[in-house]
Amino acid sequence: MTENSISSDLLVVGGGIAGITAAVEAAETGLTVTLVEKNPYIGGKVAQFNQYFPKLCPPSCGLEINIRRLRTNPSVKLFTLAEVTKVEKAAGKHKADVRLNARYVNDLCTSCGDCVKVCPEERANAFNYGMDKTKAIYIPDENSYPPKYVIDMGSCNGTSCNKCVEVCKYKAIDLNEKEKYITIEAGAVIWATGWEPYDANKLDILGFGEFPDVLTNVMMERLAAPNGPSKGEILRPSTKEKINSVAFVQCAGSRDEDHLEYCSSICCLASLKQAKYIREQYPEAEIHFHYIDIRSNGLLEEFYNSVKEDEKLHFHRGKVAKVIKDKSSDKLIIEAEDSLTGNLMQNKVEMVVLATGMESTAKNLPIDKSFVDKNGFLNSHDNGIIACGVSTKPKEVASVVQEATGSVLKAIQTIRGN
Ligand SMILES: Cc1cc2nc3c(=O)[nH]c(=O)nc-3n(C[C@H](O)[C@H](O)[C@H](O)COP(=O)(O)OP(=O)(O)OC[C@H]3O[C@@H](n4cnc5c(N)ncnc54)[C@H](O)[C@@H]3O)c2cc1C
């Protein structure tokens, strides 16, 4: 062991709800755990939700308790801004090379925010999918864990500016900080690397990137969130005005051999949930739901049935052909075939939400590609790889949590050599 080496029973890669769950469950059985997360904060996509189904509670209701378990358990070592670059297996141990990217802000930071006031540079706010800006020194979100500032060096002028360093009373900022490299040795590795939204820019017929009032479902979560770019007030992006009509376009790039061949299984429910966000703020708004099939697995059917009661929520069966701009107004037109009547239909609305699917990031991992299936998900049941969460297939949070807990049993068996 060198000073740059860490040894633990288990390494968990990815600090979303799957990785956090696996880490705390493992630590509570007595294992030592190292959790690595590439973002400056943990919580993954759940941290970016407004609410989550079926109970429609805020993300804090699931995350907070798990983060408390993680924070108070000395057996878990957490690294943020950390990426595994290589994993080798020798003599029954996994040896992972990890790059720790610089935060430029150390633990002396008290989050007073004086640095933000003097910072002259701005960056697109990744947490809000670029819908607003932060300063180059920023805290990803007011609820982020760890609650630490970070600098986006791509937007910072470095020591030629130095304003944040000069104003910081606590000597918490080092603009010359370099990335570090560590090695983690572990008896087992759990991959919980999750998903990214399918890139809506690839859906050229649906107007994303062309018309500001075409959003994606993940952007809609941020738009409705009290800590989002409009503090939870859902406004039309182009005019910042209130909304009278919205269309949800389901299967935007899903179940489509030119994009994602599979169903992400939660997009219908996510859009139904978001229809509720709209209804809460706009009792009179017309909401259109363009779908191929509505998929609400198992007990979630009840959620679908409850939302369906809404008389101003109109369901249209048929794939959307295109989204265009209306020539005589500032509205958007959805063109689709109604597959129940065979008629072509046009719907005029003010805002369009594309229900894009979940795409696994596993193909970028430093692992044998034979563990990655044709859609990019991890084959968790193959010998030699333990994975959980959306890295294995699209699913909702409740199933993710169950799978994460199950993956710990698999890890214990591996560590014990069973
Ligand atoms: C629009 C939308 C709404 C949804 N709403 C709901 C809902 O209301 N209820 C519900 O139950 N489900 C919902 N879901 C599904 C839910 O988002 C997923 O079930 C959940 O995010 C899965 O968690 P995860 O930890 O597997 O993945 P993620 O949340 O993606 O977390 C993975 C983590 O791994 C990190 N990571 C990735 N690669 C690396 C690496 N190489 N090294 C280190 N770290 C890495 C990522 O930065 C991330 O923090 C929704 C999905 C969508 C698309």
Side-chain angles (χ1 to χ4, degrees):
M1 279 289 123
T2 68
E3 62 174 310
N4 291 335
S5 315
I6 291 171
S7 175
S8 63
D9 296 318
L10 175 66
L11 167 63
V12 179
V13 187
I17 190 74
I20 297 173
T21 305
V24 290
E25 295 284 20
E28 287 170 10
T29 70
L31 298 187
T32 53
V33 183
T34 307
L35 173 61
V36 298
E37 164 57 52
K38 69 176 177 166
N39 278 332
Y41 60 92
I42 58 171
K45 306 302 176 304
V46 171
Q48 291 170 280
F49 291 164
N50 172 37
Q51 296 174 340
Y52 62 113
F53 59 72
K55 289 190 183 156
L56 297 191
C57 49
S60 55
C61 77
L63 280 179
E64 228 167 59
I65 183 155
N66 278 319
I67 291 176
R68 193 173 336 125
R69 285 164 78 195
L70 186 100
R71 225 172 356 101
T72 53
N73 195 319
S75 301
V76 189
K77 209 168 174 45
L78 169 66
F79 291 99
T80 48
L81 290 160
E83 273 180 82
V84 175
T85 53
K86 188 170 156 198
V87 185
E88 278 172 346
K89 195 172 174 196
K93 288 272 180 194
H94 298 264
K95 214 169 136 190
D97 293 344
V98 178
R99 187 180 58 242
L100 302 177
N101 294 311
R103 186 181 275 272
Y104 306 100
V105 180
N106 63 34
D107 288 346
L108 298 173
C109 173
T110 62
S111 301
C112 71
D114 285 352
C115 51
V116 175
K117 290 183 200 140
V118 296
C119 177
E121 296 299 334
E122 287 190 325
R123 62 183 276 280
N125 185 355
F127 197 82
N128 287 338
Y129 297 99
M131 289 188 284
D132 60 356
K133 294 196 165 161
T134 71
K135 293 291 185 72
I137 185 160
Y138 67 100
I139 194 148
D141 167 56
E142 63 206 37
N143 303 317
S144 293
Y145 185 80
K148 286 184 188 171
Y149 279 80
V150 53
I151 294 178
D152 177 350
M153 253 318 144
S155 315
C156 170
N157 295 323
T159 48
S160 67
C161 167
N162 228 32
K163 286 192 168 74
C164 56
V165 176
E166 285 158 16
V167 81
C168 180
K169 296 190 269 296
Y170 306 98
K171 302 212 176 315
I173 302 172
D174 175 4
L175 297 175
N176 292 314
E177 187 185 339
K178 297 276 174 289
E179 58 189 22
K180 297 186 187 77
Y181 295 86
I182 58 168
T183 306
I184 300 169
E185 241 181 50
V189 182
I190 293 180
W191 298 92
T193 47
W195 60 280
E196 288 297 337
Y198 186 67
D199 181 4
N201 290 298
K202 295 181 184 166
L203 308 168
D204 46 6
I205 51 170
L206 297 180
F208 183 79
E210 191 181 353
F211 310 125
D213 293 329
V214 178
L215 314 178
T216 62
N217 49 6
V218 287
M219 292 166 83
M220 183 67 198
E221 287 295 323
R222 297 308 305 144
L223 212 53
N227 55 355
S230 49
K231 303 278 170 265
E233 194 179 359
I234 303 172
L235 297 173
R236 193 175 172 190
S238 64
T239 59
K240 305 284 178 255
E241 285 170 1
K242 294 190 182 298
I243 290 160
N244 300 297
S245 54
V246 183
F248 288 90
V249 176
Q250 297 309 112
C251 292
S254 295
R255 304 170 69 199
D256 181 334
E257 57 186 27
D258 294 328
H259 299 283
L260 301 180
E261 284 185 12
Y262 52 90
C263 165
S264 278
S265 77
I266 54 80
C267 310
C268 288
L269 288 153
S271 294
L272 291 166
K273 170 183 72 166
Q274 295 180 351
K276 273 189 154 237
Y277 299 165
I278 307 267
R279 181 58 70 235
E280 263 165 31
Q281 295 190 22
Y282 300 106
E284 296 303 321
E286 299 291 341
I287 307 175
H288 297 273
F289 204 90
H290 292 266
Y291 70 99
I292 310 176
D293 304 294
I294 293 189
R295 293 187 169 172
S296 53
N297 298 336
L299 301 178
L300 292 168
E301 182 78 4
E302 202 175 312
F303 182 75
Y304 165 43
N305 284 333
S306 72
V307 183
K308 208 164 66 171
E309 304 278 291
D310 185 331
E311 286 176 359
K312 285 177 178 284
L313 175 54
H314 313 285
F315 290 90
H316 311 284
R317 189 168 194 270
K319 201 165 165 93
V320 168
K322 55 182 164 182
V323 176
I324 52 174
K325 183 97 180 47
D326 182 26
K327 290 201 177 76
S328 57
S329 74
D330 64 351
K331 291 190 179 164
L332 297 163
I333 297 179
I334 308 267
E335 281 192 4
E337 187 199 1
D338 184 331
S339 67
L340 296 177
T341 61
N343 296 332
L344 285 178
M345 62 172 302
Q346 287 201 330
N347 247 337
K348 256 189 218 180
V349 291
E350 292 171 340
M351 193 167 97
V352 173
V353 181
L354 305 180
T356 48
M358 298 193 272
E359 192 172 19
S360 165
T361 54
K363 58 181 179 299
N364 305 323
L365 297 176
I367 52 169
D368 189 320
K369 295 298 173 263
S370 65
F371 293 129
V372 181
D373 74 16
K374 73 180 175 77
N375 289 311
F377 293 98
L378 289 171
N379 295 311
S380 65
H381 303 301
D382 285 2
N383 199 13
I385 189 123
I386 309 170
C388 63
V390 172
S391 66
T392 67
K393 71 172 185 180
K395 58 180 90 67
E396 85 292 355
V397 171
S399 301
V400 166
V401 168
Q402 283 171 10
E403 194 186 22
T405 306
S407 71
V408 172
L409 178 58
K410 203 100 193 110
I412 292 171
Q413 289 169 343
T414 307
I415 293 162
R416 289 189 183 157
N418 293 345

